[in-house]
Amino acid sequence: MNEAGAVVAPGPFAAAVAAARACGALVVQPRMGFGDPATMRAGLDAVARAPATTVATLTLDSYTRLGDHEAAERALAEGAPLNGYPIVAHPPDVTRRVLDGARRHGVPVQVRHGSALPEDIFAALLRTGVDATEGGPVSYCLPYSRVPLREAVRSWARCCARFARMRDAGVEPHLESFGGCLLGQLCPPSLLVAVTVLEGMFFRQHGLRSLSLSYAQQTCAEQDEEALAALHRLTGELLPGLDTHVVLYTYMGVYPRTRPGALRLLGAAARLAVRGGAARLIVKTPAEAHRIPTVEENVAALVHAARVAAAEPPARPSVADTGIYAEARTLVEAVLELDPDVGLALCRAFERGVLDIPYCLHPDNAGQARGYLTDRGRLVWARPGRMPVRVDRRGGGGEMTSERLLTALSHVAARYDEEAASAVGRDGVRELAG
């Protein structure tokens, strides 16, 4: 809201998502990024022309994510391949021409980057007029860097304030929290929900008014539906009056190795997005287990996800309550009690173990909490560390041994590959629609 209390008008990215929601369509989005401007432009053009409701993505390279812009420039000069688009190394006019590949079709572009200290990236966004990006001070620091959390919080605070100034030029920028993903797997849902809501509150505190909150598909569809319901509820309670939506990520852990298995998992993500009321789905391709996907593979995955989503009935009015909302709310409140400044509260929460990401090796993470996979495929707490959460022993033994960890990490991939193989054998079908 602005000072007068009026609801803000979203910029092009958020407006496109809102328009799709009004029509009952799920927005599907790739994670695509290429170093070569011509290839990147062609990719954005292909996504924009796909027979689906899409937004496009410009994913940055690893050098840019780490702030090593000289290495990105050397790679460009030497013609070496990059695993994403080096937005800081390319001149702004080059990037504007790249973005026109989607914008000429009326499709907005989000920049995705993975940086704990993204100030150069945000400066490039402002130079090129990109109104949407993602990340967060926790979600892009602890899982992906060794940067001290306090440095990341200060950097993200400056970036948010700078990004918010886009509205001075008549554009309301949009920022997505990556907090609902964290390490992508083996993290019980209440922590994912709590962190993305807390990052949303951090963004609001630093001037942003158009936000999306994330959640990554996990191991149990019923549990994921409950988590999405909890996320919607907490967003309404703790981020009222803002322009918000929920984005679901297709499973981010070990991916099925077979094409039918991967398509089956992607279809499950699309159905979950519809049932859970997500406005946007980040799509993965059958190539994920092997290599970086091509443009054509990205587009095919988008079309597949959109078709499955279109056939799914609308969101369910209610889901089972096993306590995810209450646990996530308890975590959020425990953090907010530590300091009125959300960034400082987050730092203190990790210092004291009030928040603790399982299997995260960052020095600022306590590393005492552990989750485990029950015999019903649900993710629950084996050890909460100092977090105010409960341990549920009803689904089997609670401690995650190295053998159980390896089994749990491959659980989803193995399950969907096996289900797809059984369906092929039973029906003689060579490729599954999900």
Side-chain angles (χ1 to χ4, degrees), residues 184-323:
Q185 54 188 328
L186 299 186
C187 186
S190 61
L191 183 59
L192 301 179
V193 172
V195 172
T196 195
V197 170
L198 285 162
E199 285 197 333
M201 298 178 76
F202 174 88
F203 297 156
R204 178 185 61 184
Q205 190 169 61
H206 292 285
L208 291 161
R209 309 183 299 199
S210 181
L211 311 173
S212 46
L213 295 307
S214 64
Y215 181 76
Q217 178 189 23
Q218 299 293 308
T219 57
C220 173
E222 292 79 12
Q223 189 179 36
D224 286 341
E225 285 188 54
E226 182 186 351
L228 287 167
L231 178 53
H232 282 290
R233 183 175 172 184
L234 282 172
T235 300
E237 292 170 350
L238 300 176
L239 293 165
L242 302 184
D243 170 62
T244 61
H245 69 264
V246 168
V247 53
L248 177 70
Y249 281 69
T250 303
Y251 186 69
M252 295 176 63
V254 178
Y255 217 62
R257 297 192 62 81
T258 68
R259 178 177 175 79
L263 290 174
R264 196 177 188 92
L265 178 54
L266 175 56
R271 289 191 292 273
L272 173 63
V274 174
R275 291 197 307 270
R280 187 159 47 98
L281 174 68
I282 306 298
V283 168
K284 293 180 72 172
T285 79
E288 298 290 337
H290 311 285
R291 53 176 168 75
I292 296 175
T294 65
V295 171
E296 293 74 19
E297 288 167 334
N298 273 288
V299 170
L302 294 171
V303 173
H304 176 77
R307 287 174 178 167
V308 174
E312 184 69 15
R316 298 181 184 180
S318 62
V319 296
D321 182 1
T322 66

Side-chain angles (χ1 to χ4, degrees), residues 69-368:
H69 307 306
E70 291 183 0
E73 291 170 358
R74 284 197 302 271
L76 291 177
E78 296 168 2
L82 291 169
N83 63 348
Y85 183 83
I87 195 170
V88 177
H90 281 307
D93 60 332
V94 171
T95 300
R96 292 190 194 100
R97 288 195 294 272
V98 168
L99 295 171
D100 283 342
R103 287 175 171 172
R104 67 194 181 95
H105 299 286
V107 173
V109 179
Q110 182 191 46
V111 166
R112 308 186 67 84
H113 56 88
S115 179
L117 302 173
E119 291 176 76
D120 289 340
I121 294 169
F122 274 82
L125 301 183
L126 293 171
R127 288 194 295 268
T128 53
V130 175
D131 76 311
T133 188
E134 45 76 60
V138 172
S139 58
Y140 268 1
C141 176
L142 268 63
Y144 301 126
S145 81
R146 307 290 284 180
V147 171
L149 180 58
R150 286 184 179 271
E151 288 186 24
V153 165
R154 288 192 289 266
S155 177
W156 274 90
R158 291 189 292 268
C159 289
C160 288
R162 173 181 283 186
F163 202 37
R165 290 200 293 270
M166 285 189 77
R167 70 173 67 99
D168 295 340
V171 176
E172 187 68 55
H174 182 88
L175 186 53
E176 170 198 321
S177 164
F178 194 68
C181 302
L182 294 178
L183 287 173
Q185 54 188 328
L186 299 186
C187 186
S190 61
L191 183 59
L192 301 179
V193 172
V195 172
T196 195
V197 170
L198 285 162
E199 285 197 333
M201 298 178 76
F202 174 88
F203 297 156
R204 178 185 61 184
Q205 190 169 61
H206 292 285
L208 291 161
R209 309 183 299 199
S210 181
L211 311 173
S212 46
L213 295 307
S214 64
Y215 181 76
Q217 178 189 23
Q218 299 293 308
T219 57
C220 173
E222 292 79 12
Q223 189 179 36
D224 286 341
E225 285 188 54
E226 182 186 351
L228 287 167
L231 178 53
H232 282 290
R233 183 175 172 184
L234 282 172
T235 300
E237 292 170 350
L238 300 176
L239 293 165
L242 302 184
D243 170 62
T244 61
H245 69 264
V246 168
V247 53
L248 177 70
Y249 281 69
T250 303
Y251 186 69
M252 295 176 63
V254 178
Y255 217 62
R257 297 192 62 81
T258 68
R259 178 177 175 79
L263 290 174
R264 196 177 188 92
L265 178 54
L266 175 56
R271 289 191 292 273
L272 173 63
V274 174
R275 291 197 307 270
R280 187 159 47 98
L281 174 68
I282 306 298
V283 168
K284 293 180 72 172
T285 79
E288 298 290 337
H290 311 285
R291 53 176 168 75
I292 296 175
T294 65
V295 171
E296 293 74 19
E297 288 167 334
N298 273 288
V299 170
L302 294 171
V303 173
H304 176 77
R307 287 174 178 167
V308 174
E312 184 69 15
R316 298 181 184 180
S318 62
V319 296
D321 182 1
T322 66
I324 293 174
Y325 163 81
E327 195 166 88
R329 177 91 197 201
T330 297
L331 286 167
V332 170
E333 290 174 348
V335 173
L336 297 178
E337 288 175 359
L338 300 176
D339 199 279
D341 182 290
V342 180
L344 288 177
L346 284 166
C347 292
R348 290 175 180 169
F350 280 100
E351 287 171 358
R352 301 178 188 185
V354 173
L355 294 179
D356 188 353
I357 304 171
Y359 311 106
C360 174
L361 301 179
H362 192 283
D364 289 336
N365 189 60
Q368 296 179 357

Side-chain angles (χ1 to χ4, degrees), residues 352-396:
R352 301 178 188 185
V354 173
L355 294 179
D356 188 353
I357 304 171
Y359 311 106
C360 174
L361 301 179
H362 192 283
D364 289 336
N365 189 60
Q368 296 179 357
R370 291 289 182 269
Y372 79 100
L373 201 60
T374 72
D375 51 15
R376 295 173 54 202
R378 297 175 67 89
L379 281 168
V380 299
W381 295 106
R383 282 193 276 132
R386 298 190 295 275
M387 291 192 295
V389 299
R390 64 185 177 87
V391 174
D392 185 348
R393 302 293 189 191
R394 290 174 293 178

